[in-house]
Amino acid sequence: MLNNITIAGRLVREPEVRIVGAGVTVCDFSVAVDRDFKNNGEKMTDFFECTAWRATAEFLVKYIRKGDMMVVTGSMFSKKWQDKETGQNRSKMYLDVKNLYAVGPKKESSFVVEQP
């Protein structure tokens, strides 16, 4: 069986880092990925919840900021739980990050390249 996904998009918010177990670094973050098509003229965007571990998590926290472009590879997994308020079963898909590549920072609106 194959469970492999690659996405390219922008970091939605600053990464949330925590230490678990015996000092293992974990980082949760979200990536916004624009679709290639529009729905009634409106741009469509998907949001992927991601979890990075150890050195990958440390790299993310150190070098990537909100709005930066990145490529993420990994596998999808689901978390299931029961809602305490309603008692309904819930689930959510996450991307377990294997590799993360910084593509470049968000372009600043004041950045201008002058041609000679």
Side-chain angles (χ1 to χ4, degrees):
M1 304 218 183
L2 181 64
N3 181 355
N4 192 19
I5 185 170
T6 301
I7 61 172
R10 295 198 181 276
L11 185 63
V12 174
R13 62 182 180 279
E14 294 301 325
E16 300 169 16
V17 67
R18 64 186 187 283
I19 307 298
V20 298
V24 176
T25 305
V26 181
C27 184
D28 295 317
F29 60 101
S30 184
V31 178
V33 179
D34 291 338
R35 292 189 186 184
D36 290 338
F37 61 89
K38 295 181 179 183
N39 184 14
N40 296 326
E42 301 253 348
K43 179 175 69 169
M44 300 291 294
T45 303
D46 294 307
F47 295 88
F48 290 82
E49 295 299 321
C50 305
T51 302
W53 299 84
R54 298 177 179 78
T56 306
E58 293 169 8
F59 171 84
L60 175 71
V61 170
K62 188 172 182 180
Y63 295 107
I64 302 178
R65 296 288 166 253
K66 177 181 176 181
D68 287 353
M69 180 67 85
M70 59 180 21
V71 175
V72 179
T73 66
S75 56
M76 297 301 293
F77 70 96
S78 63
K79 286 186 180 178
K80 298 177 182 181
W81 70 95
Q82 190 172 53
D83 189 308
K84 292 179 182 178
E85 293 180 18
T86 65
Q88 292 182 339
N89 292 330
R90 303 278 188 200
S91 67
K92 190 171 187 177
M93 296 296 294
Y94 291 87
L95 196 157
D96 184 24
V97 177
K98 301 295 181 219
N99 296 297
L100 186 141
Y101 307 93
V103 177
K106 182 178 180 181
K107 292 182 180 180
E108 298 294 332
S109 58
S110 61
F111 181 78
V112 177
V113 177
E114 295 184 22
Q115 298 294 326

